[in-house]
Each structure stands twice: as structure tokens, then as C-alpha cells.
């Protein structure tokens, strides 16, 4: 692999001031970060053969992490399909299942279209929930794996076996979830243990048993609001502590968290931090957003995802994680630069922590997954959502100015 020298950028790390620095990349990792490496005759890379790119003062961010999306549902890049899903959770579920065969979903082509857009916008890692039910079986897993293979070396994709149509209320689904985990799917998902399955203890028993037996992580969609949702958080926290699964459990959406009284929010955030349970927010429609500042103050992990994109649930979305960070910031009324950077941290380092990524960031020894944007400050980048000047994955340039580069030859 050709060494790469990025000159004149300003690398960003949460909580640290921006400062001009060159970044030397060798063998897919960051080899040095310091001002004017070229003048110093750095020995970490072969300067005579390295590709040199002048960033001209651009801010360098670590690769964006989309911690919650649905690649199997997307129709990205296909013909326009008017939305007929209605406004209820169950109605959207039934509409999605009822029309997917008609529209050729799940589709490796649509999923690859969306992944390509994500890569061009600077996303380096994606966690995608995949519908698992008796009608589709593991078809969504196969389709998304095919799409991910087409983008190999440009983006990494982690899969969640997700019982979108119910777990305990739908015969055959538990066995299919286990089959998905045996097939290598990394995460087992749940759905509103109380509000949808109406058996929170039973669903959590099953999820934690599957995760423990297969060494999997857990990611539960939890739309239930109010005190019901808060009670379910407590159940998940208790199970996580009892099973020693700290760092491997996440609650997606967590709508109730944004609507609780401040003291109750604080108690939940503190309990999440103590138990090692994360939350993932998507700023979906008018639904409450997990309070970003509170999670940071409590030391609780928070990540961000795009959720559904151009599918039978929603006609909206473009896969741009920087734009999603913008939406979370706006919805949570983050105003000062440090507050806005908390959302950016959730869309980068927070997602990496939730997914358990190793060697993530812009320090020496980290994987060279990064992007560069023209902005005077990280907060301006979030607010302005500028074009991605450069995107690097594993030390290779994968996109410039929003356009994918030709595949890298090993």
C-alpha cells in the first residue's frame, strides 16, 4: 500500500483544541501526527514514494460511525415510491412487510447504492439492523452482505438480527434469530419488550440468553415512551449488570429518555453509565432526542444513526452522518461550540465505543479512517454540513469532493 502524507490539516479530537498538523499514514494506520513532518524528514514513511495531499487548513475528523440504520429496507437510488405506511408503528411494520416483495426489497443493489453515498459522505463504519421473520428468513442478511462485499475496503458493516415484526408474538422468530447468530451476525436485536411483545421479562430473557450463548451484542429498539419506557431501561440495566455484559448492550431510539423529568433523566443516565449500557439516538421526526449534554455529563455512552433512509417507512434521508449529527444538535438545542461538539463526538467516538471498534481515532497507531472538511471550527462543520473534501479508509483515498474514487488495488 502506498504511504500517504496529509499536509496542513487540523485534526480534531473531542475536548482538545485544534492545531495544525500533518498526518503520516503507513500500512493502513496513522504513523505520525505533528507539524511539518515533511520538513523534519520523518522516517515513519517513505517521503519519496508517498502520495502527498495538501489539506490547506481543512479540519480532519475521524471516520463517521452510523450506529443505527436499516440497509435491508432501503430503496435508495431506485424509482420514487410514494409512502403508504401511515403513522403508527404497527401500520408501518405491516406495510413494509406487505410491499417488500413487490418492490424487490431487500435489494443488494439498493443497499450498495446507499453504502456508496455513506462512504462519499465520510462514514467508515455502519451498524445495520436486518429484519428477521418467517417470510423473509435470512434474505436481508444475504442481501446486505452482498452489498457490503461490493464496498469492501471502503466501509465496514456490522449486522443486527432484528425482529421487526415481533419476537415472542411471532412463531418461528426466535429460531431464526439464533440461525442468524450462528451464521455470523454480530448483534441480536429486540423491539419494545413491553409495548409490542407485551412480555418484557420474556423478551429480555431470550435476548440475553442468545447473546450469552453466541457471544453476541444486544441492541434493542425501544420506542415506548413515558414511565413505561423508563421502566424498560431499568430492566435492561439490571439484566446487563446481572449477566456481566457491560459495554455490549445498547438501547436504540430511547424516546422516553427525552421526555422524562430532569431528575429522572439524571438517574437513568447515571445508571446507564454504571452498567455500561449505551443509547443510540436518531432524531427521527418529532420523536424525543436523547439529551446529549446529560449523557456526556454522566459519562454514559451515546451514539447516533440515520435510521431508515428512503424506504417504506420514510421517504427521507441521504445517508450523510454529518447531516444527522446536525439534526441531533438542532433538535437537542445545542448552541455553544462545546455543546455542538458533544453531538459530533457521539457521531464519531461515541459510535466507535458502542460498536466496540479498536484503534479508532486520529492518534498514532489508529486505523487511518478519516475525512476532511473545510470549516473554521468543528461546530461550523456540524452546522454547515460542508462537502467532504477527502475521505480515507484504511489508509486509502476512497472519495474526494463527494465522489467515490476508483477501487484500490491491493
Amino acid at each position: 500500500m502506498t504511504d500517504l502524507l496529509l499536509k496542513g490539516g487540523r485534526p480534531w479530537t473531542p475536548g482538545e483544541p485544534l492545531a495544525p498538523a500533518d498526518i503520516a499514514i503507513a500500512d493502513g494506520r496513522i504513523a505520525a501526527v505533528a507539524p511539518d513532518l515533511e520538513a523534519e524528514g520523518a522516517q515513519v514513511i517513505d517521503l519519496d514514494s508517498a502520495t502527498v495531499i495538501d489539506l490547506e487548513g481543512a479540519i480532519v475528523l475521524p471516520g463517521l460511525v452510523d450506529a443505527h440504520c436499516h440497509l435491508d429496507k432501503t430503496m435508495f437510488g431506485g424509482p420514487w415510491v410514494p409512502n403508504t405506511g401511515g403513522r403508527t408503528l404497527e401500520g408501518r411494520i405491516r406495510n413494509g412487510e406487505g410491499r417488500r416483495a413487490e418492490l424487490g426489497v431487500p435489494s443488494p443493489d439498493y443497499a450498495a447504492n446507499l453504502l456508496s453515498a455513506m462512504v462519499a459522505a465520510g462514514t467508515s463504519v455502519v451498524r445495520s439492523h436486518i429484519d428477521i421473520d418467517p417470510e423473509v428468513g435470512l434474505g436481508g442478511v444475504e442481501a446486505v452482505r452482498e452489498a457490503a462485499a461490493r464496498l469492501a475496503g471502503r466501509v465496514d458493516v456490522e449486522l443486527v438480527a432484528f425482529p421487526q415484526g415481533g419476537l415472542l408474538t411471532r412463531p418461528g422468530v426466535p429460531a431464526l434469530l439464533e440461525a442468524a447468530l450462528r451464521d455470523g451476525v454480530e448483534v441480536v436485536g429486540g423491539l419494545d419488550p413491553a409495548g409490542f411483545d407485551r412480555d418484557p421479562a420474556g423478551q429480555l430473557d431470550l435476548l440475553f440468553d442468545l447473546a450469552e450463548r453466541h457471544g453476541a451484542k444486544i441492541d434493542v429498539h425501544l420506542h415506548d415512551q413515558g414511565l413505561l419506557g423508563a421502566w424498560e431501561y431499568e430492566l435492561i440495566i439490571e439484566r446487563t449488570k446481572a449477566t456481566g455484559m457491560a459495554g455490549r448492550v445498547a438501547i436504540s431510539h430511547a424516546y422516553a429518555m427525552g421526555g422524562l423529568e430532569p431528575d429522572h433523566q439524571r438517574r437513568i443516565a447515571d445508571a446507564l453509565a454504571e452498567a455500561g449500557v449505551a443509547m443510540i439516538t436518531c432524531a427521527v421526526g418529532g420523536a424525543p432526542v436523547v439529551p446529549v449534554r446529560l449523557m456526556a455529563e454522566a459519562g454514559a455512552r451515546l451514539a447516533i444513526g440515520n435510521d431508515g433512509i428512503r424506504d417504506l417507512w420514510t421517504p427521507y434521508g441521504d445517508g450523510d452522518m454529518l447531516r444527522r449529527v446536525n439534526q441531533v444538535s438542532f433538535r437537542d438545542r445545542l448552541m455553544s461550540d462545546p455543546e455542538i461538539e458533544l453531538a459530533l463526538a457521539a457521531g464519531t467516538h461515541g459510535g466507535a465505543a458502542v460498536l466496540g471498534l479498536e484503534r479508532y481515532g486520529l492518534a498514532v497507531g489508529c486505523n487511518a479512517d478519516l475525512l476532511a472538511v473545510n470549516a473554521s471550527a468543528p461546530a461550523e462543520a456540524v452546522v454547515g454540513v460542508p462537502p467532504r473534501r477527502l475521505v480515507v479508509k484504511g489508509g486509502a483515498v476512497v472519495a474526494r469532493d463527494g465522489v467515490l474514487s476508483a477501487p484500490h488495488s491491493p
Side-chain angles (χ1 to χ4, degrees), residues 162-296:
F162 174 47
Q164 175 70 91
L167 178 49
L168 301 180
T169 57
R170 199 158 189 183
V173 171
L176 285 169
L177 291 184
E178 182 145 30
L181 296 177
R182 285 177 177 157
D183 194 45
V185 170
E186 300 92 339
V187 188
V188 62
L191 172 70
D192 293 330
F196 199 88
D197 260 358
R198 300 189 179 280
D199 184 357
Q203 183 180 128
L204 295 178
D205 281 345
L206 178 57
L207 292 179
F208 277 85
D209 175 64
L210 285 171
E212 287 188 284
R213 287 193 290 109
H214 293 278
K217 292 173 277 190
I218 295 174
D219 191 336
V220 182
H221 276 62
L222 225 167
H223 309 92
D224 292 338
Q225 299 198 36
L227 295 179
L228 176 62
W231 175 63
E232 291 173 274
Y233 303 160
E234 293 171 4
L235 294 180
I236 292 170
I237 288 167
E238 290 170 4
R239 295 299 180 98
T240 301
K241 293 168 72 174
T243 55
M245 286 190 63
R248 294 169 55 197
V249 179
I251 301 170
S252 280
H253 296 309
Y255 292 158
M257 190 64 171
L260 297 173
E261 292 297 321
D263 287 348
H264 199 172
Q265 287 179 331
R266 168 65 70 179
R267 292 197 301 273
I268 294 291
D270 288 342
L272 291 168
E274 180 187 356
V277 176
M279 284 185 168
I280 303 171
T281 193
C282 301
V284 177
V289 175
V290 176
V292 175
R293 287 162 292 185
L294 176 63
M295 293 289 282

Side-chain angles (χ1 to χ4, degrees), residues 300-313:
R301 288 179 176 176
L302 176 66
I304 294 173
N306 270 295
D307 200 27
I309 301 168
R310 304 279 182 90
D311 55 27
L312 288 167
W313 283 61

Side-chain angles (χ1 to χ4, degrees), residues 149-175:
R150 297 182 194 178
L151 276 294
R154 301 180 179 207
V155 64
D156 298 322
V157 180
E158 180 182 75
L159 303 185
V160 183
F162 174 47
Q164 175 70 91
L167 178 49
L168 301 180
T169 57
R170 199 158 189 183
V173 171

